[in-house]
Structures are given as C-alpha cells and as structure tokens.
Amino acid sequence: MATNKRTGAGKSGGRDSSILAKIANHEIANKGRRAACDAVYVSKKLLRSTGKAAWIVGTSFLILVVPLLIQAERDQMLGEIELQQASILGPPPPGALQ
C-alpha cells in the first residue's frame, strides 16, 4: 500500500504548517503587523480628535449663533405685531409723536 502525500493537505502533510509558521514569523510579516497596528492606533487618535473638534464647533455654534437667530426672529415678530396694530388702529393723528 502506497502512501499518498499531498502538499496542500493542511495539517496532514506536516510540511504546510512549518512553511506557514516560517512565513508568519518572518521579519517582513512582523513589520507588516507592526505597521498595521500603528495605522489603527493613529486612526483611532484621529477619529477621537475629530470628534472632539466637532463637539467644540457644535457647542460654539449653539452659544454664539442661536441667540442671534432668536433675536432676529423676535424682532421680526415685533415688526409683524406693530403692522397688525397699525392696520387695526389706523394711521396715527398728524400731530402725534413717533
């Protein structure tokens, strides 16, 4: 009975695991893993700082711009109320102070 050795047989071949171990432990593979870990680390820090910057911008917008928008809306509403009152009451008398 002849034994059948295949090179692509996985663990049964025995040689595949040692070749894969050599490749996985090679210096180039280690450098690639380190580069990938460094890229992930930098990406996380970039996302975190970008999130902080977005929070600062949003908070600044709320503090600085929203009160101005509210004041503009309030002025517009007062102008509309004055126009409604003027149309109801009629024009002021000619000698009245404005």
Side-chain angles (χ1 to χ4, degrees), residues 60-94:
S60 300
F61 177 78
L62 289 175
I63 292 171
L64 299 174
V65 176
V66 170
L68 296 175
L69 294 174
I70 291 172
Q71 182 64 37
E73 185 177 328
R74 189 176 301 151
D75 291 342
Q76 182 182 2
M77 288 176 60
L78 285 175
E80 290 175 2
I81 290 171
E82 288 176 356
L83 286 174
Q84 287 176 356
Q85 287 178 349
S87 67
I88 292 173
L89 298 174

Side-chain angles (χ1 to χ4, degrees), residues 43-58:
S43 298
K44 283 183 180 180
K45 289 195 73 90
L46 179 66
L47 285 173
R48 187 174 295 127
S49 64
T50 303
K52 287 180 182 179
W55 184 84
I56 290 170
V57 168

